Every structure is written in C-alpha cells, then in structure tokens.
Amino acid sequence: MRKIINWYGFEGRLALIFWLGYMAWLVVFCVIHQMVIMDSGVNVVSSILWTLREWGFWMLITPTLVSLLSKTEHYEKPLKAKLHILGAALIVALLYKVAVNLYSGRSDVLATLVSYSPKYLQVLLVISLGWYVLLKGEQVYYANKNPTTEPDSPKNNASRLLVSTGSAEAFIHVQDITAVQAAGNYVDIHTANSSYILRATLKHLLEQLPQAQFVRCHRSAVVNINYVKQLHSFATGKGELELECGRLVPLAKSYRTQFKQSVINTADC
C-alpha cells in the first residue's frame, strides 16, 4: 500500500483527499435533503451508496490519472500524451457508468452517454486545471526551497547531491552520476552501480550540474558524456546512448545536434 501511495505522488495523494472530502460532503448533503426537502426518515446507508455509485469511480482513478499526467511532462509530445490519457479516462468512466446503469436497469446506453458525457468532460477539465496549478506550484516551491547558488552571485555547481536511497538519504558525488531521468516531480539519478531518487525537476537539477559534462539528450533525460560508450542511430532519426555500465538512455531527434556539439566541445577542451 505504501508503494502505491508513493507512486501517486503529491498531486495524486491530494486528489484522493479532495475526492474523499467531496464525497463526505455529498453524503451530508443527501442526509440534509432527506430531512428538509423530502421530509422523510434519514437513511445514511442509501446516501453513502448513492455517492459511491455516482462518484466512487472517479475517486479511484483520479490519483492515477494525475500521476500519469505528471509523467507526460517529460515526453517528447506531452500535450498529445495528455490528450490520450484524458480521452482514455473519459471512455473508461462512461463504460463504467453504462455498465452500472444497465445492471441496475435504470436507463439505456444512449441515455447514459448523452446525460453523463458533458458532466464527465467538466470533471476532466477541473482535474486537469487542478493538476496543472498544483504541479507548477510544487515546482516553484522546491526550486525556491533548495537553491544551489547564492542570490546575485556567479553560479557554482554542486559537488555532491543529497538523494534518497528508498529507506534513507545519502550524499553522492556529482562526478559519479552517469545519467538522470525524469519521473514526474522526481528524478531518477543513476550511477554505475546504483539508482537514487531526488525530488526535483529535471530542469532545476540540470542547472546544478556542470554544463559541459551533463547534456540533455531527451526531454526526460540528461546524460554524463564522460560515461557514453556508443551512440546507436535509428532510421527515424532517434537514437540511444549506451553507457559504459550498459544502461541505454534515449536520444531524441530534437536533441541530437546539441548532444553531438557538446561532445565536440568537450573533446576540444
């Protein structure tokens, strides 16, 4: 369970808390409606069941949904990936609602689709906007919380980084880093023999590393050119960088020229 919660990330956990609070409010509202409007006996169980039937599915998928949206920030085509995820979520939610209504015999397929499609589109819009605001806010927070240089002073690269080993934290030397890959609001830092986690954006971390040594080779990856063994090219224009430890790091077509120029500049030094 702890691994699942950690995989959700900050946005996912906050989304889960939001849905739990919203559904609790709906239950209270249903109870008040029964007492004031319907002037009938209070049935808390029926209120809970109605709330779960209407919105329980979104409570379950929203943490995963926002976590997937965060991961697409580092794709080559992030907007396209986000639209695919949101479209898939809409289809799955509608299929679930159709199945529930058919099982209960309350409406047919067409009526369910016409009734719930606009409603679920609005839900996805709110989720997307909420995720975007939280993501950008968190990025600014961690960038300001962990500055690597003194204000208004020449930029100095860090010689060591404090990273997570899973159960503890440890310092690693920057020179030992072979590659860095983004994973939502985290980055996976690889050395020749181990991998670590750091809560930061790839852009912010790259600013801390020696620019001549660490080069961006993909929207979601940075590589230490001192550890690159081979460059494998594909017909599509993309490629892979094989490190001395055997790890393969993607090389995007849009970063290919920049990477080669960095290698040339390093060789000339």
Side-chain angles (χ1 to χ4, degrees), residues 220-234:
S220 64
V222 169
V223 69
N224 186 339
I225 58 178
N226 292 339
Y227 289 95
V228 176
K229 181 180 178 181
Q230 292 184 38
L231 191 163
H232 302 283
S233 299
F234 305 135

Side-chain angles (χ1 to χ4, degrees), residues 55 58 90-91 93-95 97-98 109-125:
W55 299 108
W58 285 104
L90 177 62
I91 292 173
L94 287 173
L95 289 177
K97 194 59 184 178
V98 166
V109 174
L110 183 60
T112 300
L113 293 177
V114 171
S115 175
Y116 282 90
S117 291
K119 184 185 298 184
Y120 284 177
L121 282 172
Q122 293 176 22
V123 171
L124 285 175
L125 178 60

Side-chain angles (χ1 to χ4, degrees), residues 20-220:
L20 287 172
Y22 177 69
M23 292 174 67
W25 177 85
L26 283 178
V27 171
V28 173
F29 178 81
C30 288
V31 171
I32 296 175
H33 185 270
Q34 293 170 359
M35 295 172 58
V36 178
I37 306 298
M38 298 181 65
D39 195 24
S40 60
V42 175
N43 191 332
V44 178
V45 174
S46 66
S47 299
I48 294 175
L49 292 177
W50 176 86
T51 302
L52 290 174
R53 186 173 64 246
E54 291 294 313
W55 299 108
F57 180 78
W58 285 104
M59 183 188 69
L60 292 176
I61 72 168
T62 300
T64 299
L65 181 60
V66 296
S67 297
L68 291 175
L69 288 174
S70 293
K71 294 180 187 300
T72 62
E73 280 290 282
H74 309 287
Y75 288 11
E76 286 193 63
K77 297 180 179 179
L79 179 59
K80 183 178 180 180
K82 289 180 179 63
L83 292 176
H84 285 167
I85 290 173
L86 294 173
L90 177 62
I91 292 173
V92 171
L94 287 173
L95 289 177
Y96 166 81
K97 194 59 184 178
V98 166
V100 170
N101 284 354
L102 287 178
Y103 179 78
S104 60
R106 294 187 299 135
S107 62
D108 58 24
V109 174
L110 183 60
T112 300
L113 293 177
V114 171
S115 175
Y116 282 90
S117 291
K119 184 185 298 184
Y120 284 177
L121 282 172
Q122 293 176 22
V123 171
L124 285 175
L125 178 60
V126 172
I127 291 173
S128 300
L129 290 175
W131 162 80
Y132 182 80
V133 171
L134 287 172
L135 178 71
K136 295 306 176 183
E138 189 183 15
Q139 288 177 352
V140 172
Y141 171 76
Y142 280 100
N144 293 333
K145 182 180 178 182
N146 301 301
T148 58
T149 60
E150 293 294 331
D152 303 320
S153 67
K155 185 174 179 179
N156 297 312
N157 296 123
S159 61
R160 298 196 303 171
L161 291 176
L162 182 62
V163 297
S164 171
T165 61
S167 58
E169 291 184 314
F171 281 101
I172 61 171
H173 290 282
V174 167
Q175 299 300 322
D176 294 335
I177 299 174
T178 60
V180 182
Q181 292 182 284
N185 280 345
Y186 293 85
V187 288
D188 293 324
I189 299 177
H190 305 292
T191 62
N193 301 313
S194 303
S195 293
Y196 307 92
I197 297 174
L198 179 65
R199 191 171 185 82
T201 63
L202 190 64
K203 179 182 177 181
H204 179 58
L205 179 60
L206 185 57
E207 293 173 353
Q208 305 178 45
L209 303 175
Q211 301 298 303
Q213 184 178 349
F214 289 88
V215 181
R216 198 157 190 168
C217 56
H218 191 275
R219 186 179 177 88
S220 64

